[in-house]
Amino acid sequence: MIHVGIIGYGYWGPNLVRNFFSQQECNIKTVADSRPNRLEDLKKLYPSIKAVQDADEIINDPEIDAVIIATPINSHFSLAQKALTNGKHVLIEKPMASSVMECEKLIELSLQKNLVLMVDHTFLYTGAVEKIKEIIDNDILGNIKYLDSTRINLGLFQPDINVLWDLAPHDLSILRYLYNATPYSINATGISHTDNGVENIAYMTINYTSGFIAHLNCSWSSPVKVRMMMIGGDKKMIVYNDVEPTEKIKVYDTAYQLKTDEDKKQILVDYRVGDIYVPKINNKEALASVASDFITSIRESKLPRSSYIIGLDIIKMLEAAEKSIKNNGVEVKLS
Amino acid sequence: MIHVGIIGYGYWGPNLVRNFFSQQECNIKTVADSRPNRLEDLKKLYPSIKAVQDADEIINDPEIDAVIIATPINSHFSLAQKALTNGKHVLIEKPMASSVMECEKLIELSLQKNLVLMVDHTFLYTGAVEKIKEIIDNDILGNIKYLDSTRINLGLFQPDINVLWDLAPHDLSILRYLYNATPYSINATGISHTDNGVENIAYMTINYTSGFIAHLNCSWSSPVKVRMMMIGGDKKMIVYNDVEPTEKIKVYDTAYQLKTDEDKKQILVDYRVGDIYVPKINNKEALASVASDFITSIRESKLPRSSYIIGLDIIKMLEAAEKSIKNNGVEVKLS
Amino acid sequence: MIHVGIIGYGYWGPNLVRNFFSQQECNIKTVADSRPNRLEDLKKLYPSIKAVQDADEIINDPEIDAVIIATPINSHFSLAQKALTNGKHVLIEKPMASSVMECEKLIELSLQKNLVLMVDHTFLYTGAVEKIKEIIDNDILGNIKYLDSTRINLGLFQPDINVLWDLAPHDLSILRYLYNATPYSINATGISHTDNGVENIAYMTINYTSGFIAHLNCSWSSPVKVRMMMIGGDKKMIVYNDVEPTEKIKVYDTAYQLKTDEDKKQILVDYRVGDIYVPKINNKEALASVASDFITSIRESKLPRSSYIIGLDIIKMLEAAEKSIKNNGVEVKLS
Amino acid sequence: MIHVGIIGYGYWGPNLVRNFFSQQECNIKTVADSRPNRLEDLKKLYPSIKAVQDADEIINDPEIDAVIIATPINSHFSLAQKALTNGKHVLIEKPMASSVMECEKLIELSLQKNLVLMVDHTFLYTGAVEKIKEIIDNDILGNIKYLDSTRINLGLFQPDINVLWDLAPHDLSILRYLYNATPYSINATGISHTDNGVENIAYMTINYTSGFIAHLNCSWSSPVKVRMMMIGGDKKMIVYNDVEPTEKIKVYDTAYQLKTDEDKKQILVDYRVGDIYVPKINNKEALASVASDFITSIRESKLPRSSYIIGLDIIKMLEAAEKSIKNNGVEVKLS
């Protein structure tokens, strides 16, 4: 039995509690939140769970094996550092931390202590992303040439982190999981419609040396909710529409392929437009799989799917994007 | 009666012929195309029109008042220059020419000769764009904060011009018409999946000093055809979906508005999500209005809606975008 | 404080428990279900509620004021009869009972005992139906001429009741609520693709003396889920698409109106196609309003929105439809 | 070379002229229409075609081999009878004639004279219907259990024929082509919102002895245009949405199948929900194939796809539907 404590019972916390509650071989001992009314809500539904205001009661509890951190991003590092130092396995809400340096410190600590350090990039565990991964791994798409994602809605303007830090982690985690390579550089542009200079609309191009390209369009200022991702291969292409209730993924037997010709000056492209295939998707709750992967990774000392490696790469990309956006879109190379 | 000649009977030529044919006070005297089979097609449908292979038969014909140039972009300048020199009014297919310098020479010539110089940005005459313009002019949207456009499909890879030169003129003309200001700078990124370095996917951010921002996503490599534009104001927002057969424009009573507060550190945003309104749109053929505007502008010596001013600004933006894309996305200021 | 007991913890029971649990001035004392595993599920989530296998423990409990019956339809009558006899207010899952005679007996009993007798036609409490009701009551549609509803999906074939008894109560309750009149007659056709003669596809026309007509298309055998209702007035028309997440209701400024002319032989119809208006809808949970209406009706001795009057009329229509379908679609008049 | 004459240059006539004009081995000699302005329009586009006001100039012209009748339905019989009598092959716009008796007389005459008698059920030649036919013929769907079609829009109220005679021929021709059997009986209901008793909304159930069922929903009174057909087999099911520009057909790997069990009282149904397949469809112009089939049938003395057999069966169904609708929905058996 693995005993866990959950820090933060805000928007996402109840989902974490519900899903870890129904995990086998797992016991939620304590939930911490500084707001008394949040704890009242918790106690009504889960009278068996200990509710505390001070996160240290979790971090210092010798009976607790693992800590889940679901607080605002600026507290991720300090809480995770203390938990790891105290020998706890750690699952952090996305994004992992506020900077690459913070992430690297946490990773080093977890390796020293031989503890699981996982980031909750929930999307990697959805039926849709699992199906796309399977399609790509089975070489249905051929060589992947681009990924293009639009993630926009009327969103809560956040005072301290821009729209990329808020929304792009979803796209970047999917990108990083599906296309297993570290990008070469980032360009980003955007605008702040508030006085504090925090961008509410931003665009991000992710460049690779391979000829693959990714682009994200993120906005808190759209009247409609769009969650649309396209992935183009030289054999087939996928359109992944996450707001569609059932037909989320469409695989298009559509491609353009360069023909080899003697005269290099001429462009010969083979076009193909064919049938479309809409695979059935497992519509399980992704967070249950996150919980299961975390518990299993602790028990088997294995790397979870949503590992610190993916978590770190996302922070690298976000940091580079922010640097680019503040320098008028200049290309920022990833170290 | 205004006598016109049309140079180029390829993809767009038949539409031009059909629409100018049914214009009052207008007579198509001659159509030129170097390909005999194209002329055969013309003669079958329009036995009354003179079909010639050599464009000079039009340009040098003293009976012809106006010339319509529907040839590939690289011949726009020389044909238009000759026609203007010979005293003909000129309508050029979009984009106006291959460079800002070419455009400026044509403009100067037309001003000297007091001739109409118009560019066929057909979209400006569609019922949808006219309705959006009307909504904006009536201050329904309030201050416009952004325009975001996606124009992607499986398109013919062109050997000499990139996807921005091919597709973006549509978006840029609409942008320029709806938001009557010259941008400050351009950032563009993209990729070429062919050996010749011509981008088949490209992204373009258009920056303004006012805090307004525009962004275009153009691709020849999408399995689906998307024509989606969003225009956000601080009172209402528009989603314009051009592939929708009837409900092309949706006006969302949705907005975010900055609240003034004493403490400038805090961000107070007022959100509003309300009803949606789908105005009925005139589904006339836009090209008929283009033809009519050209003929009327000649007769009344007036500036057409799709004027050389708009045409030139679009070339300025395209030129800057190309410069940016070739310099890793660096910001390029418009002179 | 009103003490309630809930009989039946199957598919709908957990929703009832959750919603009555959060009602003010209401206490769920006991839940009954004959299946031990269902009671186990209940106790895990609600340790404070008494879980019993025998419904009589609820019906005979003098502390319980009101009973909610969420069992299969064939037990509705006997359970409701016993509960009313014992002086309990009763809320029954739709449809009210298996026959008009059963309904009439329950109604008589409730009137004698001065008890609330309500049927859970949840749809009447959705934001969408409330908005449509408001639009109609404000005479936006004008005279209503037709209602047409399609409610199809791949549904569980039920062994004892046909698809109309299963799905049509939703449409019939909305119809009865929006168009406050008793129909004149019913025609129904359908087919059974199983050996037991229970129709899995059925069509129902509901005739009125006023010239209004309603039609339902119900099926357990569709590959897609459709929930589409149209309501046509002589001023405007509504399309209500319940599978649409946000834009459920569209009001079309479209109408056809008969013009008066001297010569009665000629048909003069005025057509109008105009704008579309998509009102914002309250997306509350409807069942919370059902619970609230039940509790309030008990406290204030008032008739709930989803009254026995509506409940009875629906059974009248279903009974007539079944008679029609078994007699090759012959018109069956409602007594 | 086959010389044809076309009678009627109204809504559909120009499409017929355009398509027969581009047929090989076919020459349109004459077009007749009593309205001078229609003939003016014709002459502008096709100066080579003889334009006459009197249909007899076509019917009595010995040089004309085949006559196409595109007039209102009430003149179909007399024109076709005269043309056949004069030895002309005949293509009639749908529906074939006003009654079964008229159809039978025309068929008899065509057989006596050994002439082609074809009805223009254009839908049978669309890429979509051809693809569905191919799917069914390849036994992809298994045993077909139902066809359900909705064909509604804001349509022109016709003074003499009801909405079924106007719209249902499309569905009935597809039904008859895809499911090659004569139905057993018809039920129909509907309503007239005008004073002349002509139904503008109508519903039609088509019963077969095999356990297959078809249902049509036709209306001139809908604010939206719907063209939706479902075809359910016991292996797979098709949804055919004709207003969708590209993805018209979706094949669902969805089925319900009765399991055999000893105890006949129990219903055991196997459900399956799987992938969806969207076949690419040939988006040719269907009317070109109609023209080609007519010409080929004349040259090869073969039965066209859209034969008089299908044409007659449709009139049988329409006649029965009208009888049913006027008798309160009573079942009308097809002789």
Coordinates of all heavy atoms in Angstrom, one line a residue, chain A residues 7 20 63 72 86-87 91 99 117 133 137 154 175 177 215 236 239 268-269 272 275 283 287 299 305 310 321 332:
Chain A
I7 N -1.3 18.0 -2.1 CA -1.2 19.4 -1.7 C -1.9 20.3 -2.8 O -1.5 20.3 -3.9 CB 0.3 19.9 -1.6 CG1 1.0 19.0 -0.6 CG2 0.4 21.3 -1.2 CD1 2.5 19.2 -0.5
F20 N -7.1 9.0 -7.4 CA -6.2 8.3 -6.5 C -7.0 7.5 -5.5 O -6.6 6.4 -5.1 CB -5.2 9.2 -5.9 CG -4.0 9.5 -6.7 CD1 -4.0 10.6 -7.6 CD2 -2.9 8.6 -6.7 CE1 -2.9 10.8 -8.4 CE2 -1.8 8.8 -7.6 CZ -1.8 9.9 -8.4
E63 N 4.8 8.6 7.4 CA 4.0 7.5 6.8 C 3.7 7.8 5.4 O 3.2 6.8 4.7 CB 2.7 7.5 7.6 CG 2.8 6.7 9.0 CD 1.5 6.5 9.6 OE1 0.5 7.0 9.1 OE2 1.5 5.9 10.7
P72 N -0.3 26.4 -7.6 CA 0.1 27.3 -8.7 C 1.6 27.0 -9.0 O 2.4 26.7 -8.1 CB -0.1 28.7 -8.1 CG -1.2 28.6 -7.2 CD -1.0 27.2 -6.5
N86 N 12.8 15.0 1.7 CA 12.2 14.1 2.7 C 12.0 12.7 2.3 O 11.3 11.9 2.9 CB 10.9 14.7 3.3 CG 11.2 15.8 4.3 OD1 12.4 16.3 4.3 ND2 10.2 16.3 5.0
G87 N 12.4 12.4 1.0 CA 12.3 11.0 0.6 C 11.0 10.6 0.0 O 10.6 9.4 -0.1
L91 N 4.7 13.7 -7.7 CA 3.9 14.0 -9.0 C 3.6 15.5 -9.0 O 2.9 15.9 -8.0 CB 2.7 13.1 -9.0 CG 1.7 13.4 -10.2 CD1 2.3 13.2 -11.5 CD2 0.4 12.6 -10.0
S99 N 11.3 27.3 -14.3 CA 12.5 27.5 -15.1 C 13.2 26.2 -15.3 O 13.0 25.2 -14.6 CB 13.4 28.5 -14.4 OG 14.0 27.8 -13.2
L117 N 10.0 11.0 -10.0 CA 9.6 12.4 -10.2 C 8.8 12.5 -11.6 O 9.4 12.2 -12.6 CB 10.9 13.3 -10.3 CG 10.6 14.7 -10.7 CD1 9.8 15.4 -9.6 CD2 12.0 15.5 -10.8
K133 N -0.5 7.9 -31.0 CA 0.9 7.4 -30.8 C 1.0 6.0 -31.5 O 2.0 5.7 -32.1 CB 1.1 7.3 -29.3 CG 2.4 6.6 -28.9 CD 3.6 7.5 -29.1 CE 4.9 6.9 -28.5 NZ 6.1 7.5 -29.1
D137 N 3.5 5.0 -34.3 CA 4.5 3.9 -34.1 C 4.3 2.8 -35.1 O 5.3 2.1 -35.4 CB 4.3 3.4 -32.6 CG 4.9 4.3 -31.6 OD1 5.5 5.4 -32.0 OD2 4.7 4.1 -30.4
L154 N -12.0 31.5 -24.6 CA -12.1 32.7 -23.7 C -11.6 32.2 -22.3 O -12.3 31.6 -21.6 CB -13.5 33.2 -23.6 CG -13.6 34.6 -23.0 CD1 -13.0 35.7 -24.0 CD2 -15.0 35.0 -22.6
L175 N 3.3 16.9 -28.5 CA 4.4 17.0 -29.5 C 5.6 16.2 -29.1 O 6.1 15.4 -29.9 CB 4.8 18.5 -29.6 CG 6.1 18.8 -30.4 CD1 5.9 18.4 -31.8 CD2 6.4 20.3 -30.3
Y177 N 5.9 13.8 -27.0 CA 5.6 12.4 -26.8 C 5.5 11.7 -28.2 O 6.0 10.6 -28.4 CB 4.3 12.2 -26.1 CG 3.8 10.8 -25.8 CD1 4.7 9.9 -25.2 CD2 2.5 10.4 -26.2 CE1 4.3 8.6 -25.0 CE2 2.1 9.1 -25.9 CZ 3.0 8.2 -25.3 OH 2.6 6.9 -25.1
H215 N 3.9 24.2 -34.9 CA 3.4 25.5 -34.7 C 2.3 25.5 -33.7 O 1.4 24.6 -33.9 CB 3.0 26.2 -36.0 CG 2.6 27.6 -35.9 ND1 1.3 27.9 -35.8 CD2 3.3 28.7 -35.8 CE1 1.2 29.3 -35.7 NE2 2.4 29.8 -35.7
K236 N 0.3 9.5 -44.6 CA -1.1 9.9 -44.2 C -1.0 11.1 -43.3 O 0.1 11.5 -42.8 CB -1.8 8.7 -43.6 CG -2.0 7.5 -44.5 CD -3.1 6.6 -44.0 CE -3.3 5.5 -45.0 NZ -4.4 4.6 -44.6
V239 N -6.1 14.6 -38.4 CA -6.7 15.7 -37.8 C -7.3 15.3 -36.5 O -8.1 14.3 -36.4 CB -7.8 16.3 -38.7 CG1 -8.5 17.5 -38.0 CG2 -7.2 16.8 -40.0
L268 N 8.6 18.1 -58.5 CA 7.6 17.1 -58.8 C 7.0 16.6 -57.5 O 7.6 15.9 -56.7 CB 8.2 16.0 -59.7 CG 8.7 16.4 -61.0 CD1 9.4 15.2 -61.7 CD2 7.5 16.8 -61.9
V269 N 5.7 16.9 -57.3 CA 5.1 16.4 -56.1 C 3.9 15.5 -56.5 O 3.1 15.8 -57.4 CB 4.5 17.6 -55.3 CG1 4.0 17.2 -54.0 CG2 5.7 18.6 -55.1
R272 N -2.1 12.8 -53.2 CA -3.0 11.7 -53.1 C -4.1 12.1 -52.1 O -3.8 12.6 -51.0 CB -2.3 10.5 -52.6 CG -3.1 9.2 -52.7 CD -2.2 8.0 -52.6 NE -1.2 8.2 -51.6 CZ -1.4 8.2 -50.3 NH1 -2.6 7.9 -49.8 NH2 -0.4 8.4 -49.4
D275 N -9.5 7.8 -48.9 CA -10.5 7.6 -47.9 C -10.0 8.2 -46.6 O -8.9 8.6 -46.4 CB -10.7 6.1 -47.7 CG -11.1 5.4 -49.0 OD1 -11.7 6.1 -49.9 OD2 -10.9 4.2 -49.1
N283 N -12.5 5.8 -24.4 CA -12.9 7.0 -23.7 C -12.8 6.9 -22.2 O -13.7 7.4 -21.5 CB -14.2 7.7 -24.3 CG -15.3 6.7 -24.0 OD1 -15.2 5.7 -23.5 ND2 -16.5 7.2 -24.5
L287 N -7.0 10.7 -16.3 CA -6.3 10.9 -15.0 C -6.2 9.6 -14.2 O -5.3 9.4 -13.4 CB -7.1 12.0 -14.2 CG -6.4 12.6 -13.0 CD1 -5.0 13.1 -13.3 CD2 -7.2 13.7 -12.4
R299 N 6.2 1.5 -7.5 CA 6.3 0.1 -7.1 C 7.4 -0.6 -7.9 O 8.1 -1.5 -7.4 CB 5.0 -0.6 -7.3 CG 3.9 0.0 -6.4 CD 2.6 -0.7 -6.7 NE 2.6 -2.1 -6.3 CZ 2.3 -2.5 -5.1 NH1 2.0 -1.6 -4.2 NH2 2.4 -3.8 -4.8
R305 N 5.5 7.2 -18.2 CA 5.3 7.8 -19.5 C 5.6 9.3 -19.5 O 6.3 9.8 -20.3 CB 3.9 7.5 -20.0 CG 3.7 8.1 -21.4 CD 2.2 7.9 -21.9 NE 1.9 6.5 -21.9 CZ 0.7 6.0 -22.1 NH1 -0.3 6.9 -22.3 NH2 0.4 4.7 -22.2
I310 N 10.4 14.5 -20.4 CA 9.4 15.3 -21.1 C 9.1 16.6 -20.4 O 9.0 17.6 -21.0 CB 8.1 14.4 -21.3 CG1 8.4 13.3 -22.4 CG2 6.9 15.3 -21.7 CD1 7.2 12.4 -22.6
A321 N 10.6 30.2 -25.7 CA 9.5 31.0 -26.3 C 9.4 32.4 -25.7 O 9.2 33.4 -26.3 CB 8.2 30.2 -26.2
V332 N 15.4 31.6 -31.0 CA 16.1 31.3 -29.8 C 16.5 29.8 -29.8 O 15.6 29.0 -29.9 CB 15.3 31.6 -28.5 CG1 16.1 31.1 -27.2 CG2 15.0 33.1 -28.4

